[in-house]
Each structure stands twice: as C-alpha cells, then as structure tokens.
Amino acid sequence: MTDFLRDVEDALGNAKAPSSSELDDILSRAGELKGLPLSDAAKLLMVEEEDSLRAIYEKAAEVKSAVFGPRVVLFAPLYLSNYCSNDCLYCGFRKSNSTARRKALSPDEAVEQAKILSRTGFKRIILVAGEHPRYSGVDYLIKIAEEIYSRTDVRILHVNSAPVSVEDFRKLKSAGYGVYQCFQETYHEESYKVLHPTGRKSDFLYRLSVMDRGLQAGFGDVGIGPLLGLYDYHYDALAAIAHSKHLEAKFGACAHTISVPRLKSAEGAEIKKAPYPVSDEDFKKIVAVYRLSVPQAGVVVSTREPARLREECLLCGASQISAGSSTEPGGYDGREKNTSQFDLSDIRPLPEMARVISEMGLLPSLCTACYRSGRQGSSYLHTAQSGNLNELCTANALLSLKEYLLDASPEGREIMEASLNRFLEEFKGKLREDVKRKLETVEKGKRDVHY
Ligand code: SAM
Ligand code: SF4
C-alpha cells in the first residue's frame, strides 16, 4: 500500500527544476493528454522562475480546455454535522474544542438545507460531516440520502466523510452517492501521526487505503487531495499524483477529482498557522501540475481561497469550484449559529460567481450528466481519454446553464445568456442543431436534459 509513497521519495530525491529545453519537452508531452510520469511532475513542482511558471500555467489552461472545454463546474457543500470523535489539531470540529456549538442535522433539517441550495440552482451537492459513530455513520448518511433524493430535486449527492469498510462503501453506493471524497491531509506518516493524535483517524494506513476499499466496492469516482500547509507541498502534491496513478494502475480509474484545500485558521483549533505555508504562487503551481499530471481529473478549488486567486486558478487548470458555501451545519437558512469548520475567504454567492466565470470567457456549469448517464469510474476515464468529454461537457454545461437562467433568474442573466449563445454558435453542424433542439425543450419546461 505504501509502495507509491516510496516512488514519491525516489522521484523527489534528485529532482531539480528543469532546464528550459527540458521544460519545453515536458510541456509538449503534457499536451498529449496522457499525464506525466512522477519524475516530470517532481521537476515541475521545483520550478520557481517566473517565465517557466507562466509556461506551465499556459499549458495547464490548454490541457484543461482540451479535456473539459470552457466549462467550470459549480457546486456547494452541505455540512451535516460538526460532532467529531477525532482531534485533528487544525480543525474547529475537533473533540477537544469544548467551546464548539455542536449540531447534527436531522433528516428534515438536511432536506430543508438541500431545498435552499436547489432553489439557488445547485443540483449537485457534497455532504460533509465530522467523524462520529452516531452523527455521521453510514446509517445516518443513507437515511439523509434517501430523504434528500425523495423530497428534493437535487440530482446527485457526493460525500466527504470518514473512511469506511468495503461493505459500508457498498451500502453508500446503493444509497446513490456519486463521488466519495476524503483528504489524506498529509501523506507524510510522521507528520500525520503528530497532527492526528487520537481517534479512528490516527490510523494512517486505514486512511491511506480508503480509496482502494471504495473502488473495490464499486465506488467508481473518488476524490483525493492533501490539506496544503501541513507538510512540504512538494512531497504532498506529488504523493496525491502518485496516489491517483496507483488507483488507475490497480482499478483502471484515476482520481475523479483532486482538491487543493489549503489550511485556514479555525476557531478552537490547536494549530492556527500552517507549519509549512504554501504561497499563492505555489498554490497555482500545484493546481497546474495536477492538471498536467492527471489531465482527466477534476481539479477543485474551494471557497477557502480568496476571490482573485480562485479566478487565476481557473486560468491555470482548475475545473471545479464551490460557491456561496457555508461550513456550518444548518448554515444556509441564516438562523443557526453553530461552529463552522474554518474561516472562508470567497463569500460570493452563485449568481455572482456564475457571472464572473462568464465574464472571464468561460462557461459556468451546474451539470450532473455523468452521474445521470452512468459515465463513472473507468467508463468516465475512457470517455475523457478519447477526447469526447470536451463536447459533451460543453453541451451539458449549456443545458444546465439554460435551466439555471430560467429557474433562478439570477442577476447578471444577460451576460450569462450571451456566453451561452456564443458557445452554442461554436458547435458545428448537426451537433449545434441537436443542442439547440434540446435547449428548446428546456425552455418549454423539460428539466434534467443532458447527454
Ligand atoms: N471528518 C471527515 C474527515 O476528516 O475526513 C470529513 C469531513 S472534514 C470536515 C473535511 C476536510 O476539511 C478535512 O479532510 C480537512 O482536509 C479539511 N479541514 C479541516 N480543518 C481545516 C482547516 N482548518 N482549514 C482548511 N481545511 C480544513
Ligand atoms: Fe473531525 Fe474531520 Fe475535523 Fe478531523 S478534520 S476533527 S476528523 S471533522
């Protein structure tokens, strides 16, 4: 299980920033959309020089566009519970935070929160919970999924929750969960042990092997990512890439998403500052290197990051961002005041984010099509590798955007409508006619229209 971490140590051992001709060669190979070996990814992570960084960002934007087209997927987290039996030194939900106001949503409360998000326009939601046998166990997650699917028009639930057994993964899968996400925090075992002193999470190997269990149980789409700032990012970012390669070699599916959470200060946390700070420039470099090394993975930037940096990340490889987030259970109706997990930076709501994305010449997407059409795991990877995802993603983004504009009538609608029409016109021949016909059905009231 730890073999891929040995590969990381080997690749980092003598890695130096590449010479300019070496960089050209690496970037030209990255343009073939087959990913990069760890040795190349390690060299890219060493780059500090401005022109070289610019070349990396440009290539990452090109690769993102070739795989996914102009679309940027928008989603929101729904925090279910802040009860936790672990004691991660950096987290506001930790057991030792005696001042925390604890809350676990009842199924009815979770449905209410999901309805608020759905009215806003989100049909894809990621549920998040602290680790607690009663308030975030598999039975609780199954009940919540049943209630949200049967009582709202949310189309896909993803989940970020504590690692479980193969058997419990099967149950979560049957309950209809899409992506299972879990962050390794750090792949550096010694640091991991210090940062996670007690509780189930203190078992480094149980966490490291969670995605193997998920994929073994048939959970095709898994989301990974170290929490940046806990350890040297060169090691942790390279380990995330190696982790994805390990999963692809073993199960035929790379990580569906790689997130770039960066440590934020949290009320009640023991650690207030990152032991290994990651600068904004390094953050962008990590986003770009993920994109070049695992081109078919969604690279996800959360609202932990400031507005301008998030926009810059969309121009160097990121393909998904959250918007209008709350990290407090019950936080979307504005009534509850429970302890949130950490401080947020970008508090722009969905309409504003979608408008900004349109103004950047990109295409906001609220699409859930892959999960509706069974393009998951290795089937997703094959579609993406064959180069067919680009058009599918663009068409589905247009359909989901049309639905959003009609149903939510957001501020800035005209700008988004213009962007929709512009991308529609870029389609050629038969496909353009087909997408137009599908858009008309949305206008007439049909919903969840997708390819
Ligand atoms: N409790 C589960 C776990 O730890 O895997 C799942 C949910 S936890 C709320 C989601 C993620 O939040 C953690 O995996 C961690 O990476 C991130 N997180 C925790 N404290 C943070 C902080 N202070 N700043 C930024 N992200 C943080
Ligand atoms: Fe609990 Fe997760 Fe926070 Fe750790 S990161 S204290 S496991 S909620």
Side-chain angles (χ1 to χ4, degrees):
M1 183 60 231
T2 48
D3 283 1
F4 75 84
L5 293 180
R6 268 195 292 280
D7 296 342
V8 171
E9 276 159 32
D10 290 347
L12 270 183
N14 312 310
K16 283 201 222 76
S19 65
S20 120
S21 65
E22 230 183 332
L23 179 64
D24 288 347
D25 172 54
I26 295 175
L27 296 183
S28 137
R29 278 186 286 110
E32 293 166 19
L33 313 185
K34 295 194 183 104
L36 292 172
L38 281 188
S39 51
D40 286 341
K43 286 178 191 164
L44 293 185
L45 285 168
M46 295 295 169
V47 170
E48 299 287 345
E49 196 266 322
E50 217 175 292
D51 287 343
S52 305
L53 283 174
R54 202 167 317 120
I56 293 175
Y57 299 157
E58 279 168 17
K59 182 56 79 176
E62 203 181 298
V63 168
K64 185 269 167 188
S65 171
V67 178
F68 297 107
R71 67 91 166 128
V72 175
V73 166
L74 288 149
F75 69 94
L78 195 174
Y79 273 67
L80 293 174
S81 161
N82 61 9
Y83 282 93
C84 196
S85 46
N86 290 317
D87 219 8
C88 313
L89 299 191
Y90 44 82
C91 179
F93 293 173
R94 66 196 296 254
K95 181 170 101 184
S96 306
N97 181 5
S98 54
T99 59
R101 288 172 302 277
R102 305 282 174 178
K103 169 86 182 167
L105 301 186
S106 67
D108 284 347
E109 288 170 323
V111 164
E112 280 319 304
Q113 295 286 301
K115 281 185 178 165
I116 294 170
L117 288 171
S118 170
R119 273 198 299 277
T120 318
F122 292 111
K123 307 295 176 203
R124 98 166 34 206
I125 292 175
I126 181 157
L127 302 179
V128 186
E131 176 164 7
H132 194 280
R134 188 142 137 233
Y135 300 119
S136 62
V138 167
D139 293 341
Y140 172 79
L141 292 173
I142 291 172
K143 177 76 183 151
I144 297 283
E146 272 169 15
E147 297 287 329
I148 293 182
Y149 281 135
S150 62
R151 292 166 57 193
T152 77
D153 62 356
V154 167
R155 292 179 197 143
I156 189 73
L157 291 172
H158 303 317
V159 64
N160 182 323
S161 62
V164 294
S165 64
V166 174
E167 195 191 328
D168 281 348
F169 265 121
R170 291 205 177 101
K171 293 185 191 162
L172 287 177
K173 181 80 194 151
S174 315
Y177 281 104
V179 176
Y180 171 75
Q181 187 184 63
C182 183
F183 302 147
Q184 182 59 32
E185 322 299 13
T186 174
Y187 288 89
H188 186 252
E189 188 166 2
E190 269 171 51
S191 305
Y192 184 95
K193 290 203 159 135
V194 174
L195 293 159
H196 308 97
T198 59
R200 190 76 183 92
K201 192 164 167 181
S202 59
D203 187 339
F204 176 77
L205 285 180
Y206 188 68
R207 197 166 180 96
L208 191 66
S209 52
V210 63
M211 298 313 180
D212 294 64
R213 290 194 296 283
L215 284 158
Q216 196 187 327
F219 231 101
D221 294 341
V222 296
I224 62 171
L227 178 55
L228 299 172
L230 294 181
Y231 185 63
D232 180 0
Y233 76 81
H234 300 92
Y235 180 86
D236 270 338
L238 198 64
I241 295 167
H243 194 175
S244 176
K245 287 182 184 300
H246 156 82
L247 297 174
E248 188 174 343
K250 196 164 161 191
F251 300 99
C254 64
H256 187 69
T257 56
I258 307 184
S259 297
V260 274
R262 181 165 58 162
L263 194 68
K264 299 281 298 177
S265 69
E267 218 181 304
E270 171 100 7
I271 288 182
K272 294 288 181 202
K273 279 196 172 152
Y276 292 82
V278 172
S279 70
D280 287 359
E281 204 60 52
D282 289 337
F283 188 90
K284 276 166 53 182
K285 178 172 67 178
I286 294 164
V287 166
V289 175
Y290 283 160
R291 170 58 56 224
L292 298 173
S293 309
V294 193
Q296 284 79 23
V299 176
V300 188
V301 181
S302 75
T303 51
R304 292 171 180 87
E305 301 309 326
R308 216 194 65 214
L309 178 62
R310 294 216 312 156
E311 287 160 28
E312 288 173 10
C313 287
L314 292 179
L315 301 176
C316 65
S319 55
Q320 298 191 18
I321 53 171
S322 46
S325 304
S326 163
T327 66
E328 166 194 350
Y332 289 116
D333 56 18
R335 275 180 292 153
E336 297 281 354
K337 264 283 145 251
N338 303 301
T339 296
S340 58
Q341 196 191 10
F342 47 78
D343 303 334
L344 297 174
S345 287
D346 187 351
I347 54 165
R348 291 174 292 179
L350 175 60
E352 190 177 345
M353 248 357 282
R355 178 180 54 73
V356 168
I357 290 169
S358 302
E359 284 169 349
M360 290 172 72
L362 298 168
L363 182 59
S365 173
L366 292 148
C367 169
T368 55
C370 278
Y371 314 99
R372 313 294 282 170
S373 310
R375 273 190 303 275
Q376 286 173 273
S378 49
S379 142
Y380 164 86
L381 186 60
H382 288 144
T383 314
Q385 282 173 336
S386 65
N388 293 334
L389 203 60
N390 179 328
E391 276 188 343
L392 274 180
C393 280
T394 309
N396 284 322
L398 294 180
L399 291 163
S400 66
L401 182 58
K402 184 79 185 172
E403 191 179 305
Y404 172 60
L405 296 179
L406 289 167
D407 292 350
S409 200
E411 237 174 85
R413 189 190 152 131
E414 302 71 25
I415 296 164
M416 293 179 238
E417 193 89 49
S419 150
L420 190 157
N421 289 329
R422 184 164 66 80
F423 286 115
L424 177 63
E425 289 314 313
E426 282 180 15
F427 279 127
K428 307 248 170 335
K430 254 172 88 176
L431 181 59
R432 181 167 54 201
E433 291 317 306
D434 199 56
V435 178
K436 267 189 187 163
R437 261 196 303 279
K438 278 196 156 51
L439 284 167
E440 277 161 20
T441 65
V442 177
E443 215 152 320
K444 286 185 187 141
K446 200 158 176 222
R447 291 293 170 264
D448 195 13
V449 182
H450 57 264
Y451 285 90

